[in-house]
Amino acid sequence: MKKLILLLLCSLFCLATHAQTADELYQKAKNRNEKKDYNGAVALIDKAIALKPTCDYYYVRAIYVHNSGDKEGAQKQARDIIDIFPDSVKAWMDASSFFIAIQDFDRSLEIADSMITHFPIVSDSIRIELYMFRGTVKTSMNDHVAAEIDFKVAYAIDSTNEEVLIDLAGVYDELDRDEEAVRLMKRALAINPGNERLYNNLGFLYDNMGRYKEAIEMFNTSIARNKGKDDFGSRETTGFSYSNRGHAKYKLGDNKGAMKDFAEAEKLTPYDPYMYKNRALVYIAMGKNREACLELYRAISLGYSEMYGNEVEKLINAYCR
């Protein structure tokens, strides 16, 4: 009898030591989703929610439910995040972000509008967060004029906020107000010279303005400052800088140098559709239309149109038909 009791205690102990945490269940759910086992992903995230009900997990659940094909249920799940966490700014942002993810921008903006009304008395830092978020929603809708209004409200609250300066500069870039964009990006860089991303961003602005030598100087600095760093953010920034520097070199007639930069960019950011578009331009300049078309179709497959517009389609119609 003692032996049986001992065996039972051992079994219970083993089960306890193998109890899964919410974060472990989330990781398993993420893996299931990536393998397109969406129902399995939902079941696992439900277990994670039972252990740790956070708006993050509810947001993820809405995404997985949507992936499973239950679009109506997913949208209800996203709206429910606000009902469950009505006083959490993040919950409102998560709900709005879900509708951005499924490209229902009107619903996303409606939630962002309601969010600002729902939190009338908050600290300046939260107010900045609210208006910055709504500006980002409008940017997703390509309504940059409206986005400028929200970013300028945030700027009026704190004109030294680095993220406000960066986002407002991005809007000015989209509105072809290049000098204003450069001025704000330089201010952000003066506030935080250790942010390597800003050198790439300023270089990108110079490239758009046709100031290619100045652009290359910024990309050189970005690449040099990230040398030896192996975190994801540094690798991504370096990849973008190589891609952008390649474009600037192409504009200056250095096709060989451009291709070397694109090869480095592909190693670091193979998911970047902008790089493939840039490399296609070099192939077109070299008279290699077949190679250019392969790059353009790769850019399309990686979502270039959704991110940047119809430039690639125009190039395909001109060179690949």
Side-chain angles (χ1 to χ4, degrees):
M1 188 65 176
K2 288 182 179 178
K3 185 176 181 181
L4 177 59
I5 293 172
L6 184 63
L7 287 172
L8 286 171
L9 288 173
C10 179
S11 298
L12 290 170
F13 175 76
C14 291
L15 285 171
T17 57
H18 287 88
Q20 293 175 307
T21 67
D23 289 342
E24 287 172 338
L25 288 164
Y26 163 71
Q27 286 299 327
K28 288 188 174 183
K30 184 179 177 183
N31 292 337
R32 291 283 184 92
N33 180 67
E34 289 173 354
K35 293 177 181 178
K36 300 184 179 181
D37 178 8
Y38 304 125
N39 291 327
V42 171
L44 285 166
I45 204 66
D46 280 341
K47 291 181 179 179
I49 289 171
L51 292 173
K52 187 171 72 173
T54 67
C55 50
D56 283 336
Y57 288 163
Y58 278 103
Y59 167 79
V60 168
R61 188 184 193 280
I63 294 292
Y64 295 167
V65 170
H66 185 271
N67 290 345
S68 75
D70 183 3
K71 294 179 172 52
E72 185 175 336
Q75 291 178 35
K76 182 182 183 304
Q77 175 76 53
R79 291 190 294 269
D80 285 347
I81 300 173
I82 297 171
D83 294 332
I84 297 167
F85 307 99
D87 297 322
S88 166
V89 170
K90 189 177 186 311
W92 287 75
M93 291 182 179
D94 281 346
S96 181
S97 295
F98 168 82
F99 287 99
I100 291 177
I102 67 170
Q103 298 190 338
D104 184 348
F105 299 114
D106 290 337
R107 179 59 177 154
S108 176
L109 182 59
E110 180 185 334
I111 293 172
D113 287 339
S114 298
M115 176 179 66
I116 290 177
T117 305
H118 186 77
F119 296 99
I121 303 174
V122 291
S123 65
D124 283 350
S125 62
I126 297 297
R127 282 188 68 216
I128 288 173
E129 195 174 355
L130 295 175
Y131 281 98
M132 287 283 287
F133 182 84
R134 190 170 70 176
T136 301
V137 173
K138 292 174 180 177
T139 298
S140 299
M141 302 171 73
N142 291 317
D143 189 353
H144 303 293
V145 173
E148 179 193 0
I149 295 171
D150 279 332
F151 291 143
K152 287 185 79 171
V153 171
Y155 180 84
I157 298 168
D158 184 1
S159 62
T160 65
N161 184 296
E162 180 185 348
E163 293 302 320
V164 171
L165 292 168
I166 292 169
D167 284 354
L168 188 54
V171 165
Y172 287 153
D173 176 43
E174 293 290 345
L175 296 173
D176 296 324
R177 292 158 62 177
D178 297 326
E179 293 296 342
E180 291 174 272
V182 167
R183 176 177 57 82
L184 290 174
M185 198 64 70
K186 283 183 174 179
R187 283 190 60 193
L189 193 55
I191 291 168
N192 185 7
N195 187 343
E196 291 83 3
R197 180 170 57 116
L198 297 180
Y199 296 94
N200 174 72
N201 291 358
L202 183 54
F204 187 79
L205 290 173
Y206 283 144
D207 185 81
N208 284 347
M209 297 167 72
R211 295 161 63 173
Y212 303 118
K213 291 182 180 180
E214 291 171 275
I216 288 173
E217 287 179 10
M218 289 295 106
F219 299 137
N220 288 345
T221 301
S222 176
I223 291 167
R225 292 176 71 94
N226 278 302
K227 189 175 182 180
K229 296 181 181 179
D230 197 38
D231 60 284
F232 175 80
S234 296
R235 289 196 305 273
E236 184 170 72
T237 299
T238 304
F240 292 160
S241 293
Y242 272 120
S243 173
N244 292 330
R245 190 175 74 176
H247 181 266
K249 287 180 178 179
Y250 148 70
K251 284 293 190 177
L252 291 173
D254 182 9
N255 290 338
K256 185 176 180 180
M259 294 302 275
K260 286 183 179 179
D261 277 350
F262 294 142
E264 292 300 317
E266 187 171 17
K267 293 176 188 176
L268 295 165
T269 49
Y271 50 82
D272 176 23
Y274 207 84
M275 185 278 294
Y276 296 101
K277 185 271 296 184
N278 285 345
R279 191 156 60 185
L281 294 175
V282 178
Y283 278 130
I284 290 169
M286 297 167 67
K288 297 183 177 181
N289 287 5
R290 180 179 179 277
E291 290 86 347
C293 292
L294 292 174
E295 301 292 316
L296 293 171
Y297 285 121
R298 183 70 183 276
I300 287 287
S301 71
L302 290 170
Y304 185 96
S305 301
E306 293 81 1
M307 296 181 195
Y308 304 113
N310 64 354
E311 180 183 3
V312 167
E313 282 95 337
K314 290 180 179 179
L315 289 169
I316 288 173
N317 288 332
Y319 295 98
C320 307
R321 300 301 183 190

